[in-house]
Amino acid sequence: MNRLRQVRKQKEITLKEVAEDTGISGDVIGKYEREEREPKKETWIKLADYYCVPVAYLMGLPDGLVQHINKTQTMTIDDVKSNRLRELRKKLGFTRKQVSEDMKECGIDIPPSTLSSYEKGERNPKIDKLEDLAFYYRVPLSYLKGDPMNFEELQELVIDWAYERNIIDVKKMPKQFMKVTEELGELAEGINKDNQGQIKDSLGDILVTLIILSKDLDVDLLDCLKGAYDVIKDRTGKTINGVFVKESDLHE
């Protein structure tokens, strides 16, 4: 069974919206979802691109096979850019007309039809328009360009995310500290079970909780990291059984 309807419902998109955005009629999409009709290869690719999921996943293949197939699939920078513009708008729950009108209040003039062509990848925004869109959606320009984000940019996105949900609050700092310890426990469990997926997720969650905790404490996590590196960069010592022991401790 394919995942067309499941993915559309998860993203809270109507058949009408999919039809308008992809150029595939709502009636046909409905038949695809009910498996009364099989999409052609190019249609699977178009819908997977639209929903920002692998083709294999959308087709309903098992997760392990999806991961294997996905390694061979590539997307162009323009694909990534158009996907991210659409995802950001959907996250706000706005129509293109609402986004266009809202941007006008910020002094940005991009008609709904132009937004549509950007999202569908039919037209590439010039750098000034891309900067305007990044400003409006409150994301780094590199994110919209499809470039890898650096730590500072990711940290700002996490902080914005936390502020939007009223998580950052000095009064909630003890609870946030407990979240850090909980994620450390999840990491320990993942290591003990040799579960690479859990290890990766836990490390990411630990970083998120530390960023939020550092904001509660009014310190910059990157400054803390730089400070720690400045301390260890010239440190001498010896690695014993996989553990680095600094020079001063070797003689105790």
Side-chain angles (χ1 to χ4, degrees), residues 22-38:
T22 63
I24 305 169
S25 77
D27 180 58
V28 170
I29 294 167
K31 288 181 179 179
Y32 290 160
E33 291 186 357
R34 295 189 297 272
E35 299 192 326
E36 296 172 359
R37 183 170 171 180
E38 180 69 18

Side-chain angles (χ1 to χ4, degrees), residues 85-100:
L85 285 171
R86 183 169 58 244
E87 284 290 303
L88 288 167
R89 178 175 61 80
K90 293 293 185 183
K91 182 181 175 183
L92 290 175
F94 288 176
T95 64
R96 296 189 189 96
K97 183 178 179 181
Q98 287 174 314
V99 170
S100 180

Side-chain angles (χ1 to χ4, degrees), residues 21 51 94 188 229 244:
D21 291 341
Y51 289 125
F94 288 176
Y229 177 70
F244 183 79

Side-chain angles (χ1 to χ4, degrees), residues 104-120:
K104 278 186 179 179
E105 296 183 10
C106 304
I108 302 170
D109 185 18
I110 304 179
S113 58
T114 303
L115 288 173
S116 176
S117 63
Y118 289 165
E119 290 185 6
K120 294 177 182 177

Side-chain angles (χ1 to χ4, degrees), residues 191-250:
I191 292 172
N192 288 333
K193 294 181 178 179
D194 193 24
N195 185 328
Q196 290 300 310
Q198 184 173 349
I199 290 170
K200 186 175 180 179
D201 288 344
S202 298
L203 285 170
D205 290 340
I206 288 168
L207 285 171
V208 169
T209 54
L210 282 173
I211 288 170
I212 296 172
L213 179 63
S214 66
K215 200 67 181 176
D216 284 340
L217 295 170
D218 196 26
V219 295
D220 188 305
L221 191 61
L222 190 57
D223 284 344
C224 296
L225 180 60
K226 288 176 179 176
Y229 177 70
D230 285 341
V231 171
I232 68 171
K233 65 181 181 181
D234 297 320
R235 183 175 287 171
T236 57
K238 186 177 181 181
T239 300
I240 302 174
N241 296 325
V243 178
F244 183 79
V245 181
K246 58 184 179 182
E247 189 72 31
S248 58
D249 293 339
L250 288 173

Side-chain angles (χ1 to χ4, degrees), residues 106-148:
C106 304
I108 302 170
D109 185 18
I110 304 179
S113 58
T114 303
L115 288 173
S116 176
S117 63
Y118 289 165
E119 290 185 6
K120 294 177 182 177
E122 298 171 349
R123 181 175 170 187
N124 287 323
K126 292 182 179 179
I127 189 63
D128 59 329
K129 293 299 182 184
L130 209 56
E131 289 172 346
D132 287 340
L133 289 162
F135 171 78
Y136 175 76
Y137 285 121
R138 297 174 64 191
V139 296
L141 178 61
S142 59
Y143 178 77
L144 285 188
K145 290 171 67 179
D147 298 336

Side-chain angles (χ1 to χ4, degrees), residues 56-67:
Y57 177 81
L58 203 58
M59 292 175 71
L61 298 182
D63 290 342
L65 191 55
V66 170
Q67 293 171 7

